[in-house]
Amino acid sequence: MSGILYVVGTPIGNLSDLSPRAVDTLRAVDFIAAEDTRVTLKLLNHFEIKKPMVSYHEHNLRERGSAIISRILAGETAAVVSDAGMPCISDPGEDLVRLAAEAGVPTVVIPGPSAAVSALCLSGLSTSRFSFEGFLSTNRHNRLEHLNTLLHDTHTLIFYEAPHKLLTTLHDLRDAFGNRRISLCRELTKIHEEVIRTDLDGAIELFSEKTPKGEFVLIVEGASPEVPKETTLDEAVSRAKELMEAGLKQTDAAKQAAAETGFKKSEIYAALLAD
Ligand code: SAM
């Protein structure tokens, strides 16, 4: 009988954020697939968990993934963890879950913190609709192309960024979006946790003078919803003329143009007569 694949969230800084259920699961499984076994060993040592591990990262996920699934199909249970936060979110795991699903292996999530959602909650920006964009490409062309697809997106945007690329990214965001509001969430759950709520110009000014340090999530305000353009009386009359050319009587055309534009039928009709 097949075992189970557990997808286990781990802390993004503060070890107390490892849930009791995650501890129980890591203790109970037969083996752990870890992004970096040295990083996970520190976590396991802290909780006095002794468990065999296999490394599972972006460079070996193809062959290692099938080997892990074969072991689970043969009856073992496994947990997949990344260095920090939820596996599968800008971290290995997605591929393994897909392989598990294809092989009919049961999957169970043990939820933990994710930097993206934690930062969004502290951002002070709209949380009702958001779009997770992960890391922007290091290739400038691809990065700008990515940003171009977001120009009219009204959702709050979430980006991960490394400190040494932060200033370049802030400039690219400013060039693409104009001066939008941004919250820079740094070192969440750690001693130097900080949220800088400013705008892109303010952020650029700040980090032009001060070297960014630590881990950052950038929460960027979405585009302002486009306000529908108000129709003028001239445009309403032109619409009525179009409808007349299409075969409607003058009075019916005025009525329909009024319904479409919000002007009174009498206003449009009078303008048509005066024309
Ligand atoms: N899987 C992780 C998750 O669920 O959040 C994300 C892993 S991704 C490789 C690492 C990025 O997440 C960092 O570069 C940073 O942008 C963000 N991050 C991780 N921990 C963070 C923290 N404590 N504070 C702020 N950002 C963090």
Side-chain angles (χ1 to χ4, degrees), residues 12 84 86 89-91 114-115 135 160-161 188 215-217:
I12 56 170
M86 284 304 291
I89 305 299
S90 293
D91 264 345
S114 183
F135 289 98
Y160 284 162
E161 195 47 284
L188 297 176
E215 297 197 276
F216 283 85
V217 182

Side-chain angles (χ1 to χ4, degrees), residues 27-119:
R27 281 214 173 96
V29 291
D30 293 306
F31 70 99
I32 298 171
E35 182 183 9
D36 183 333
T37 53
R38 291 160 305 177
V39 173
T40 301
L41 185 61
K42 286 188 197 146
L43 182 75
L44 296 184
N45 285 343
H46 182 85
F47 290 91
E48 297 178 350
I49 299 170
K50 283 197 180 0
K51 197 59 60 179
M53 282 193 274
V54 296
S55 78
Y56 177 73
H57 50 72
E58 60 174 323
H59 303 296
N60 70 4
L61 51 81
R62 203 158 282 172
E63 67 288 4
R64 198 50 65 82
S66 352
I68 292 167
I69 295 299
S70 299
R71 285 180 67 175
I72 302 176
L73 282 171
E76 290 187 270
T77 54
V80 59
V81 297
S82 64
D83 289 352
M86 284 304 291
C88 314
I89 305 299
S90 293
D91 264 345
E94 171 189 332
D95 209 62
L96 195 58
V97 173
R98 184 180 51 75
L99 286 179
E102 282 168 8
V105 164
T107 51
V108 172
V109 71
I110 313 293
S114 183
V117 171
S118 306

Side-chain angles (χ1 to χ4, degrees), residues 85-260:
M86 284 304 291
C88 314
I89 305 299
S90 293
D91 264 345
E94 171 189 332
D95 209 62
L96 195 58
V97 173
R98 184 180 51 75
L99 286 179
E102 282 168 8
V105 164
T107 51
V108 172
V109 71
I110 313 293
S114 183
V117 171
S118 306
L120 177 69
C121 294
L122 289 188
S123 67
L125 296 172
S126 171
T127 57
S128 57
R129 298 188 75 184
F130 55 89
S131 178
F132 175 66
E133 301 300 324
F135 289 98
L136 288 168
S137 169
T138 48
N139 173 296
R140 186 167 165 74
H141 173 78
N142 294 346
R143 196 162 69 234
L144 297 184
E145 211 167 62
H146 183 163
L147 291 178
N148 268 335
T149 65
L150 303 173
L151 292 187
H152 304 290
D153 194 331
T154 55
H155 301 172
T156 301
L157 304 171
I158 306 177
F159 299 93
Y160 284 162
E161 195 47 284
H164 65 281
K165 288 195 275 156
L166 180 70
L167 194 55
T168 309
T169 295
L170 290 173
H171 277 290
D172 287 344
L173 292 171
R174 174 67 172 92
D175 290 348
F177 297 151
N179 189 24
R180 291 199 196 163
R181 288 196 291 163
I182 179 171
S183 294
L184 301 99
C185 302
R186 191 176 85 83
E187 294 286 273
L188 297 176
T189 77
K190 303 183 198 175
I191 296 169
H192 298 293
E193 172 171 314
E194 183 182 18
V195 183
I196 303 160
R197 301 182 184 94
T198 177
D199 55 25
L200 284 163
D201 284 344
I204 289 169
E205 196 181 324
L206 178 67
F207 288 108
S208 299
E209 288 161 11
K210 177 174 154 184
T211 308
K213 287 198 185 116
E215 297 197 276
F216 283 85
V217 182
L218 312 181
I219 310 289
V220 182
E221 181 180 36
S224 310
E226 278 171 25
V227 182
K229 186 170 110 356
E230 285 214 1
T231 314
T232 62
L233 180 60
D234 278 351
E235 285 166 338
V237 172
S238 299
R239 174 65 183 142
K241 286 181 186 165
E242 262 175 33
L243 292 165
M244 284 163 65
E245 275 165 24
L248 257 62
K249 283 195 254 164
Q250 201 170 36
T251 173
D252 292 336
K255 188 176 172 188
Q256 172 143 351
E260 288 178 16

